[in-house]
């Protein structure tokens, strides 16, 4: 019989209690000094580690997570202070890129990147890198934060889209995600309108957002987006997609569901009080009439569009409704807000006439006020993404940017025009019209450079450029 032995683990167990108490005291002390950031990081680390492992096993998980976070990043920043969720978007994209680069299989083919869309994204990115040597010497911090929305997401997202979402089932998943979350956003916006905002949203309003989001005692609904302007434009974008899908060659229940969802999301646009969102529908609807190739639809759509514009412009139907009244002002050339914008553009024109390369990236708007307060352009509201590009890059940069966007738009229309599969054509037509509407609305507001509109536009371009490949796959399947 062996003599009894004492194991060292017994003494270790005795230390666990005091060690746990000391750890709790330490975490309590550091929380009192730094808030929830450090404890939150300790809790989040295992989750983040598991997520990274999953992404390396299946990179598509990372990219879909990025798409989902794009919708909710503003709400997270509004409700959980001190955590840079915006930088988390870049982190997910970088991890996803690394997972592809080091992936053992050869399923991610570089041939998918040999297209105009990837090349143009890279060209615009290089131009933004060269902006670091701008003669006006704007702040590098302003450049960094502005560059993220202007080009970084573009150059990282588009190639990943080609590598990871190059099947018809991915297109269907994308459509499902953007419509589902936009519907949820509309419901949440309705909740804000009729039941009120929550505590953190009220703090956001009280900190200055109320100046633009509470007009004449009425809330401009923003849902969980960055602001009412982005919410309204995005809702108009997705409602247009829904209505076009509802007119497609699909089974009746899908057409009905598309129409009802479009109406719900359109109501979300109305309660946002965003006047520029109307032009998403006008511009996108006009492109749809052309691409439809059907005389009856062109005639009927033209009558409906002209009729709605006539009602808003020349009648008082709906007068007294704050949302309709505000929408009606978008067609008023004497609207005070519009006149102020024209005045600001005259100021910029006089300043930029001797600066063909503009004032540099990040010199106006929110990042200009924060990082370039010594620059004249930081004192002038851009009011429009077109104007912002013009002011930052000058007329030379604006022509390059506008030329890139118009080339992509024209090629998208050409691709859709030649798609043979009728269902695929309707889906890609809806995405094309949505992107055109989004671009057009950016003339009045900063739309295409904000989440989630920017990522929806970038991935819409990707799927449209993949259209011929999808068309061949479906032709072989049906054949």
């Amino acid at each position: 019989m062996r003599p009894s032995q004492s194991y060292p683990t017994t003494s270790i167990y005795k230390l666990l209690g005091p060690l746990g108490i000391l750890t709790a005291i330490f975490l309590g002390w550091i929380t009192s000094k730094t808030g929830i950031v450090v404890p939150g990081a300790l809790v989040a680390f295992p989750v983040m580690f598991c997520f990274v492992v999953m992404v390396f096993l299946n990179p598509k998980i990372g990219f879909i997570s990025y798409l989902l976070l794009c919708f909710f990043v503003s709400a997270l920043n509004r409700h959980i202070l001190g955590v840079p969720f915006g930088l988390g978007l870049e982190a997910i994209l970088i991890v996803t890129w690394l997972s592809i680069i080091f992936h053992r299989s050869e399923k991610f083919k570089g041939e998918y990147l040999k297209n105009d869309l990837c090349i143009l994204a890279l060209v615009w990115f290089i131009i933004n890198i060269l902006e670091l040597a701008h003669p006006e010497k704007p702040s590098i911090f302003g450049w960094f934060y502005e560059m993220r929305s202007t080009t970084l997401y573009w150059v990282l997202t588009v190639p990943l889209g080609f590598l990871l979402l190059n099947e018809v089932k991915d297109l269907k998943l994308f459509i499902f995600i953007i419509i589902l979350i936009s519907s949820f956003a509309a419901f949440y916006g309705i909740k804000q309108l009729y039941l009120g905002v929550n505590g953190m949203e009220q703090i956001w309003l009280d900190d200055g957002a109320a100046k633009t989001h509470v007009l004449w005692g009425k809330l401009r609904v923003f849902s969980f987006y960055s602001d009412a302007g982005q919410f309204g434009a995005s809702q108009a974008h997705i409602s247009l997609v829904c209505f076009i899908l509802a007119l497609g060659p699909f089974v009746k229940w899908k057409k009905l569901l598309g129409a009802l969802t479009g109406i719900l999301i359109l109501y979300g646009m109305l309660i946002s009080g965003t006047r520029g969102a109307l032009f998403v529908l006008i511009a996108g609807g006009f492109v749809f009439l052309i691409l439809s190739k059907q005389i009856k639809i062109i005639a009927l759509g033209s009558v409906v569009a002209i009729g709605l514009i006539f009602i808003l412009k020349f009648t008082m139907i709906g007068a007294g409704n704050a949302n309709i009244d505000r929408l009606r002002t978008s067609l008023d050339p004497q609207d005070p807000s519009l006149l102020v914008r024209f005045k600001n553009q005259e100021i910029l024109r006089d300043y930029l006439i001797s600066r063909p390369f503009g004032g540099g990236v990040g010199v106006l708007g929110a990042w200009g006020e924060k990082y370039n307060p010594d620059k004249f352009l930081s004192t002038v509201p851009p009011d429009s993404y077109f104007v912002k590009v013009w002011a930052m890059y000058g007329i030379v940069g604006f022509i390059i940017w506008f030329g890139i966007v118009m080339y992509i738009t024209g090629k998208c229309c050409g691709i859709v025009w030649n798609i043979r599969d009728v269902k695929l054509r309707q889906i890609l037509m809806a995405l094309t019209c949505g992107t055109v509407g989004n671009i057009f609305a950016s003339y009045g507001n900063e739309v295409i450079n904000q989440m989630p509109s920017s990522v929806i536009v970038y991935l819409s371009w990707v799927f449209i450029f993949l259209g011929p490949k999808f068309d061949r796959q479906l032709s072989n399947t049906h054949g």
Side-chain angles (χ1 to χ4, degrees):
M1 184 175 179
R2 286 187 172 183
S4 61
Q5 298 180 1
S6 61
Y7 294 96
T9 52
T10 304
S11 58
I12 293 176
Y13 290 146
K14 291 180 179 179
L15 291 175
L16 290 180
L19 185 62
I21 294 173
L22 289 174
T23 302
I25 293 173
F26 173 74
L27 289 176
W29 175 79
I30 201 170
T31 300
S32 67
K33 296 294 184 181
T34 65
I36 66 169
V37 176
V38 174
L42 293 174
V43 173
F45 179 77
V47 177
M48 293 166 56
F49 178 78
C50 293
F51 175 74
V52 170
V53 172
M54 292 171 62
V55 172
F56 269 79
L57 293 174
N58 185 358
K60 188 180 291 187
I61 292 176
F63 200 49
I64 296 300
S65 299
Y66 161 69
L67 174 60
L68 295 174
L69 182 59
C70 288
F71 282 90
F72 299 103
V73 63
S74 295
L76 290 171
N77 284 328
R78 194 177 290 135
H79 288 81
I80 305 176
L81 306 180
V83 181
F85 289 102
L87 294 176
L89 293 170
E90 288 98 320
I92 293 176
L93 286 173
I94 291 171
V95 169
T96 305
W97 266 110
L98 290 174
S99 69
I100 290 176
I101 292 172
F102 294 105
H103 207 275
R104 292 184 178 181
S105 71
E106 298 180 358
K107 62 183 296 186
F108 306 110
K109 300 177 181 179
E111 64 186 47
Y112 285 122
L113 305 183
K114 298 176 182 178
N115 59 74
D116 302 349
L117 194 55
C118 289
I119 293 172
L120 291 173
L122 182 60
V123 167
W124 186 240
F125 178 73
I126 292 172
I127 289 173
N128 276 266
I129 296 298
L130 295 176
E131 283 286 327
L132 285 169
H134 197 283
E136 296 287 332
K137 294 181 172 55
S139 165
I140 192 170
F141 293 105
W143 171 87
F144 172 75
Y145 283 102
E146 186 67 51
M147 177 273 304
R148 293 162 63 213
S149 61
T150 302
T151 184
L152 186 62
Y153 294 133
W154 187 350
V155 78
L156 292 178
T157 299
V158 166
L160 280 178
F162 280 105
L163 291 171
L164 297 172
L165 306 179
N166 48 48
E167 301 293 336
V168 175
K169 62 180 181 181
D170 299 319
L171 171 60
K172 294 179 180 178
L173 176 62
F174 173 70
I175 294 291
F176 175 77
I177 288 175
I178 63 175
I179 292 178
L180 179 65
I181 299 182
S182 296
S183 301
F184 177 57
F187 278 120
Y188 191 81
I190 293 170
K191 173 265 173 189
Q192 285 182 330
L193 180 64
Y194 292 104
L195 299 180
V197 297
N198 63 35
M200 296 305 293
E201 291 166 346
Q202 186 61 56
I203 291 174
W204 179 72
L205 290 170
D206 294 340
D207 284 345
K211 290 187 296 184
T212 54
H213 286 75
V214 181
L215 303 179
W216 304 293
K218 297 288 186 180
L219 175 70
R220 289 183 61 204
V221 171
F222 51 90
S223 190
F224 44 77
Y225 291 64
S226 60
D227 53 62
Q230 175 60 208
F231 174 59
S234 180
Q235 292 279 281
H237 179 174
I238 306 304
S239 69
L240 179 65
V241 170
C242 289
F243 287 132
I244 293 176
L245 291 177
L247 295 172
F250 305 105
V251 295
K252 289 184 178 179
W253 72 267
K254 288 186 177 180
K255 293 161 68 78
L256 178 60
L257 182 61
L260 293 176
T261 306
I263 293 171
L264 168 66
I265 300 175
L266 182 64
Y267 184 67
M269 182 207 82
L270 290 174
I271 61 178
S272 73
T274 305
R275 296 173 293 185
L278 175 64
F279 295 99
V280 176
L281 303 177
I282 293 175
F286 177 75
V287 173
F288 167 69
L289 295 180
I290 295 175
L291 293 179
S292 66
K293 297 184 181 179
Q294 299 183 39
I295 301 299
K296 290 183 179 179
I297 291 181
I298 293 175
L300 179 61
S302 300
V303 170
V304 171
I306 294 172
L308 290 175
I309 295 174
F310 179 85
I311 289 173
L312 289 174
K313 178 71 176 175
F314 299 106
T315 76
M316 296 304 293
I317 296 175
N321 183 293
N323 298 315
I324 295 178
D325 287 340
R326 182 167 173 79
L327 197 64
R328 183 169 272 123
T329 62
S330 64
L331 300 175
D332 181 8
Q334 298 303 316
D335 178 66
S337 176
L338 181 63
L339 296 178
V340 169
R341 294 184 180 214
F342 287 155
K343 184 175 180 63
N344 289 335
Q345 290 176 25
E346 289 179 5
I347 294 172
L348 289 173
R349 182 186 60 197
D350 294 338
Y351 181 79
L352 294 170
I353 195 168
S354 60
R355 295 171 174 82
F357 298 101
V361 176
V363 296
L364 75 166
W367 302 124
E369 294 175 5
K370 185 173 182 177
Y371 294 110
N372 292 287
D374 59 321
K375 305 294 185 184
F376 170 75
L377 288 176
S378 68
T379 65
V380 183
D383 297 323
S384 157
Y385 190 60
F386 280 56
V387 172
K388 193 173 189 178
V389 171
W390 171 42
M392 292 194 302
Y393 301 93
I395 189 62
V396 174
F398 176 80
I399 290 174
I400 294 173
W401 174 81
F402 189 71
I404 290 173
V405 172
M406 287 299 99
Y407 174 83
I408 294 172
T409 300
K411 186 156 186 177
C412 286
C413 291
I415 290 172
V416 171
W417 188 271
N418 292 304
I419 293 294
R420 294 166 297 173
D421 186 273
V422 290
K423 292 182 179 179
L424 175 64
R425 187 172 186 279
Q426 195 75 15
I427 294 173
L428 298 184
M429 191 191 312
L431 294 181
T432 301
C433 296
T435 60
V436 171
N438 209 299
I439 293 166
F440 197 85
S442 296
Y443 177 76
N445 296 286
E446 290 191 55
V447 175
I448 198 174
N449 62 323
Q450 295 185 4
M451 295 295 180
S453 288
S454 59
V455 70
I456 294 175
V457 169
Y458 299 151
L459 291 181
S460 294
W461 284 342
V462 169
F463 284 118
I464 296 164
F465 271 64
L466 286 168
K469 173 181 179 290
F470 295 157
D471 201 24
R472 289 191 296 270
Q473 288 179 346
L474 292 172
S475 178
N476 293 334
T477 302
H478 299 327

